[in-house]
Amino acid sequence: MFDLDRWHEIWITITHNKSRSVLTAFSVFWGVLMLVLMVGSGNALEKGIFSQIEGFATNSCFFEANRTTLPYKGFRKGRRWNITNSDIPVIKEKVSELQYISPMLFSGGNEKNVVRGDKNGSYRIKGCYPEYDLIEKSKMLYGRYVNDIDIAEKRKVCVIGERIYEVLFQKGEDPTGKQVRVNGIYFQVVGVARSTSGVNIGGETAETVVLPFSTMQQAFNQGNIVHLLAATAKEGVPVKKVQDQILEILKQQHQVSPDDKDAVWTMNIEEQFKMFNYLGIGISALIWIVGLGTLFAGAIGVSNIMLVTVRERTKEIGIRRALGATPRNIIGQILSESVVLTVLAGLLGIVLGVGVLRGAGIVLSQSDQFFKDPQVSFGMAIGSLLILIVIGAMAGYIPAQRAMMIKPVEAISEE
């Protein structure tokens, strides 16, 4: 292993025909470079996708009333119905696996509907329970989110999005306690929110005014209607189980046929999250299949060149055998040359690939939300190095066997 004469001989052999060595090593170099770039890009894409749902409860589901599509108990199909306040306590009582639940109301961004002094803008209005902040988590830049006392007392308070704050207030000004007019009604600002997720229900957090649910119902004459119902399952409980139970209760409460698949629109975030997971696994598998295929193609090239090298060195190998070189010495020499050539090319590919990924990460980090921090792990680099050693040994095995078949007498007599 540490025989300096052997390493010197390996270096002479590799550099004896520089063009052939470079062209042979290039196939391995290119395969490793492509593998590193694809793995790094795949990791960046996966991080980008999951960063968009970070901060959003993946164990959540949502419900919205639609027109019925089947007649039921004297009601014709096509009937309009609404989820109502009275459904909430029934769901809480009957669904033991339920963790959080929040009814929601929405109001469109009418022209210049949010005003403070001579500053104004058109923004979405959303009413919800405090529990909704545990489903779609917000980072509070100032103040707090709506709380249970706001709901119980129907306080005229609001939480404004970060972009609304930038439009209505001076930079660095504390907006808590200040008044803003929302759809013609004054509300006291109790907080400024920034979204922590790329998933937003009812509009971007930065451009949304959040009101206590009860306040919004009363202030804007919404009666007891719920536009959207959000719920989460307890830890370890499949969301599908909670989703099915709530769906059944809503249909029972509002005389909707159990077989009506379209009367209630529902979305299971856990299923969407699993889909992203499977997508990431599929992309990773495809990357490794293509990358390893490219590496093995390079190994075939190395093996072919080593066969040519052995053929050219027939007389040399015969003399070695005649002078007492053991089979182990001959095989070790050929395998060492193959492994060294492969590993050197592979290391160069890894270094260049990491450099390219780092440069791409710096360029795209500020502009592309779906391509974040492209890099490969240290473990992947070590694993690639081990794969290169194996591939190098495989590439040199057949040439080494060919060298062992050379008979000293025939080799020496060969012109």
Side-chain angles (χ1 to χ4, degrees):
M1 180 67 182
F2 299 101
D3 188 344
L4 293 178
D5 290 336
R6 168 175 286 189
W7 287 107
H8 181 66
E9 186 175 349
I10 290 172
W11 178 251
I12 292 175
T13 302
I14 292 175
T15 56
H16 177 69
N17 193 326
K18 296 183 177 63
S19 298
R20 186 169 62 191
S21 296
V22 170
L23 292 175
T24 303
F26 182 78
S27 60
V28 176
F29 159 78
W30 187 256
V32 173
L33 177 63
M34 290 298 100
L35 179 61
V36 170
L37 292 179
M38 288 190 295
V39 170
S41 299
N43 289 340
L45 181 61
E46 185 176 356
K47 288 178 184 178
I49 291 174
F50 282 101
S51 70
Q52 297 302 302
I53 57 176
E54 186 180 359
F56 198 93
T58 56
N59 63 335
S60 59
C61 52
F62 296 83
F63 305 86
E64 182 182 27
N66 285 334
R67 284 178 178 268
T68 60
T69 58
L70 293 175
Y72 187 67
K73 290 188 176 181
F75 293 103
R76 293 182 178 183
K77 70 176 183 178
R79 173 172 61 96
R80 290 183 178 275
W81 66 282
N82 291 292
I83 302 173
T84 61
N85 292 355
S86 59
D87 296 325
I88 310 302
V90 176
I91 292 171
K92 286 182 176 180
E93 180 184 351
K94 293 186 176 182
V95 184
S96 58
E97 294 88 354
L98 181 71
Q99 185 180 31
Y100 304 120
I101 187 168
S102 174
M104 301 173 69
L105 286 172
F106 304 103
S107 176
N110 300 325
E111 186 177 358
K112 299 180 181 179
N113 63 328
V114 180
V115 181
R116 178 176 182 259
D118 59 349
K119 299 177 181 178
N120 56 68
S122 302
Y123 303 106
R124 298 275 294 179
I125 315 300
K126 179 166 68 178
C128 58
Y129 277 11
E131 285 84 351
Y132 188 70
D133 191 44
L134 301 172
I135 299 173
E136 184 184 334
K137 186 64 179 174
S138 299
K139 179 181 179 181
M140 302 308 299
L141 303 180
Y142 290 95
R144 61 173 177 82
Y145 204 72
V146 296
N147 60 29
D148 292 326
I149 299 177
D150 297 331
I151 298 291
E153 298 182 359
K154 300 180 181 179
R155 289 176 172 175
K156 288 185 177 180
V157 296
C158 69
V159 176
I160 61 175
E162 181 180 13
R163 203 162 301 152
I164 302 175
Y165 164 75
E166 292 171 354
V167 171
L168 301 184
F169 295 87
Q170 296 292 329
K171 185 176 180 180
E173 180 183 359
D174 187 349
T176 55
K178 307 292 175 56
Q179 297 283 327
V180 296
R181 192 168 77 247
V182 180
N183 286 359
I185 300 175
Y186 282 93
F187 292 86
Q188 185 182 64
V189 177
V190 293
V192 176
R194 172 188 291 169
S195 177
T196 60
S197 169
V199 181
N200 304 117
I201 304 298
E204 292 186 32
T205 300
E207 296 187 350
T208 300
V209 177
V210 177
L211 306 177
F213 178 80
S214 56
T215 304
M216 186 168 178
Q217 274 191 329
Q218 184 179 69
F220 301 121
N221 300 316
Q222 295 291 324
N224 66 344
I225 292 175
V226 174
H227 291 163
L228 191 71
L229 189 64
T232 63
K234 290 181 178 178
E235 187 175 353
V237 177
V239 175
K240 178 67 175 172
K241 185 175 182 180
V242 171
Q243 182 184 17
D244 290 342
Q245 291 181 42
I246 294 177
L247 198 59
E248 182 182 355
I249 291 171
L250 290 175
K251 290 181 176 180
Q252 289 176 353
Q253 288 286 104
H254 297 278
Q255 305 298 308
V256 175
S257 171
D259 300 322
D260 195 335
K261 304 296 183 183
D262 299 318
V264 184
W265 172 86
T266 181
M267 179 174 63
N268 187 327
I269 299 297
E270 187 176 63
E271 291 180 354
Q272 306 298 318
F273 183 74
K274 286 181 179 178
M275 182 181 69
F276 286 134
N277 259 333
Y278 294 146
L279 177 63
I281 292 171
I283 291 174
S284 296
L286 179 62
I287 286 171
W288 278 99
I289 290 172
V290 173
L292 291 177
T294 307
L295 281 179
F296 281 115
I300 292 173
V302 173
S303 182
N304 288 334
I305 294 300
M306 292 304 298
L307 281 171
V308 173
T309 302
V310 168
R311 182 75 182 91
E312 291 177 346
R313 297 166 64 190
T314 299
K315 190 171 184 177
E316 173 195 332
I317 293 172
I319 294 174
R320 285 173 178 266
R321 295 287 305 276
L323 293 176
T326 64
R328 182 177 179 181
N329 294 141
I330 301 299
I331 291 175
Q333 182 68 26
I334 302 300
L335 288 180
S336 297
E337 293 172 7
S338 176
V339 169
V340 168
L341 187 62
T342 304
V343 170
L344 286 176
L347 286 175
L348 184 60
I350 291 174
V351 171
L352 182 60
V354 170
V356 171
L357 288 175
R358 181 174 177 80
I362 294 173
V363 172
L364 297 174
S365 60
Q366 301 299 323
S367 58
D368 196 334
Q369 295 181 340
F370 290 95
F371 196 83
K372 290 185 176 293
D373 193 19
Q375 61 178 348
V376 293
S377 65
F378 180 75
M380 185 268 176
I382 296 298
S384 298
L385 184 60
L386 294 176
I387 291 173
L388 287 171
I389 293 174
V390 172
I391 288 176
M394 291 172 58
Y397 178 74
I398 294 177
Q401 289 294 103
R402 171 71 179 82
M404 281 303 303
M405 293 173 63
I406 297 174
K407 296 179 180 180
V409 175
E410 295 177 1
I412 294 173
S413 62
E414 186 176 303
E415 292 298 332

